[in-house]
Amino acid sequence: MDLPRSFTIRESGHRIHNPFDSGKLATLGEALRLPPGARLLDLACGSGEMLCTWARDHRVIGTGVDISTVFLGQAEARAGELGVADRVEFVHGDASGYVADAPVDVAACVGATWIGDGVPGTVALLRRSLRPGGMMLVGEPYWRREPTDQATVEACHATSRDDFLPLPETVERFAALGADVVEMVLADQDSWDRYVAAQWLNLRRWLDQNPDDELHAELRAELDTAPARHVRYQREYLGWGVFVLIDR
């Protein structure tokens, strides 16, 4: 059970596997006003940057769950680097079935709502680990501009324009699920650039170092088209944000 190797190659240099930079991640942590000792569960935690930096900056205690052995190795190394290994733990497993042993103050799925087959299922999963009055963090794309054709939809990694909603409807959907949106931090075009453009450098370095690898042709073809696709489509049409929810 692991992520495809192409994914870990593409994001091998990333600490944050979403279009957030460290400043936006810090802004989100400050906005939550968490007390020291607050317990956080992060499903599909990637390389654990949220848990590790918030353990350092806000003294939270946390558990991260992810399917990628590569990213979890990076998470454990980061915890050691920041001196928070006694405050966080990382579990290799399928986040779609993970429920905390005891209720947590914050339950998060930041950018991986496929673990619940979409937003409603992910919210339902997070609720299973959350204490009454606790907060959920959901990271989700939305349409900055409504796509005009199917080519734009697919270039934004969607199969249908209905896969995402405009921002107002995204917020309204959380209300329809019985939750108040109490905070949000949104990506901008610069943070999208930092996330996506870093993938191109990772790919190019890997291609130069691995000319005989079986993935070389596939990833070479990806790098041929990815920069133009990003600036033509994703950068203009696709937004992304973390929405903070408390059940009504």
Side-chain angles (χ1 to χ4, degrees):
M1 181 171 56
D2 214 326
L3 280 178
R5 193 160 62 97
S6 59
F7 193 97
T8 56
I9 291 168
R10 188 181 300 112
E11 300 201 7
S12 58
H14 289 57
R15 285 181 173 167
I16 303 171
H17 301 282
N18 290 299
F20 255 21
D21 56 28
S22 58
K24 288 187 179 294
L25 188 61
T27 295
L28 179 62
E30 292 165 2
L32 300 185
R33 292 174 278 177
L34 297 172
R39 301 191 67 86
L40 192 155
L41 173 66
D42 188 6
L43 299 181
C45 67
S47 296
E49 188 72 0
M50 183 169 75
L51 275 175
C52 290
T53 56
W54 290 7
R56 177 196 63 192
D57 298 339
H58 306 292
R59 307 296 293 169
V60 304
I61 298 167
T63 299
V65 183
D66 203 274
I67 199 172
S68 171
T69 54
V70 171
F71 293 158
L72 289 180
Q74 295 173 348
E76 290 169 352
R78 185 64 165 156
E81 176 187 347
L82 297 184
V84 297
D86 60 333
R87 305 186 65 82
V88 298
E89 64 173 344
F90 296 99
V91 176
H92 178 237
D94 183 357
S96 65
Y98 192 92
V99 177
D101 293 336
V104 299
D105 301 293
V106 180
C109 177
V110 177
T113 55
W114 58 82
I115 69 171
D117 293 323
V119 169
T122 299
V123 169
L125 176 62
L126 295 176
R127 282 174 170 148
R128 296 175 62 190
S129 296
L130 194 66
R131 69 163 177 81
M135 291 186 287
M136 294 177 280
L137 311 183
V138 178
E140 180 70 358
Y142 61 89
W143 293 121
R144 292 183 68 243
R145 295 168 54 189
E146 296 235 26
T148 54
D149 51 38
Q150 186 62 20
T152 302
V153 168
E154 294 176 4
C156 293
H157 308 289
T159 57
S160 164
R161 72 178 63 200
D162 294 334
D163 288 354
F164 310 132
L165 298 172
L167 182 57
E169 286 79 1
T170 298
V171 171
E172 290 169 351
R173 176 168 56 178
F174 294 123
L177 294 172
D180 288 322
V181 176
V182 297
E183 256 291 359
M184 67 180 187
V185 179
L186 303 181
D188 55 26
Q189 288 177 308
D190 183 65
S191 56
W192 263 117
D193 292 345
R194 300 280 50 74
Y195 171 55
V196 176
Q199 296 176 12
W200 311 334
L201 182 57
N202 292 339
L203 288 173
R204 177 53 197 262
R205 286 177 170 167
W206 184 89
L207 289 167
D208 289 346
Q209 295 166 7
N210 298 275
D212 300 320
D213 192 279
E214 62 182 2
L215 290 178
H216 192 276
E218 173 188 336
L219 296 183
R220 177 65 261 178
E222 178 179 330
L223 184 56
D224 286 346
T225 59
R229 185 173 64 249
H230 170 64
V231 297
R232 178 172 288 118
Y233 297 111
Q234 184 172 281
R235 193 178 195 272
E236 297 301 317
Y237 286 89
L238 195 61
W240 190 88
V242 179
F243 302 88
V244 183
L245 316 176
I246 298 178
D247 276 331
R248 292 178 175 175

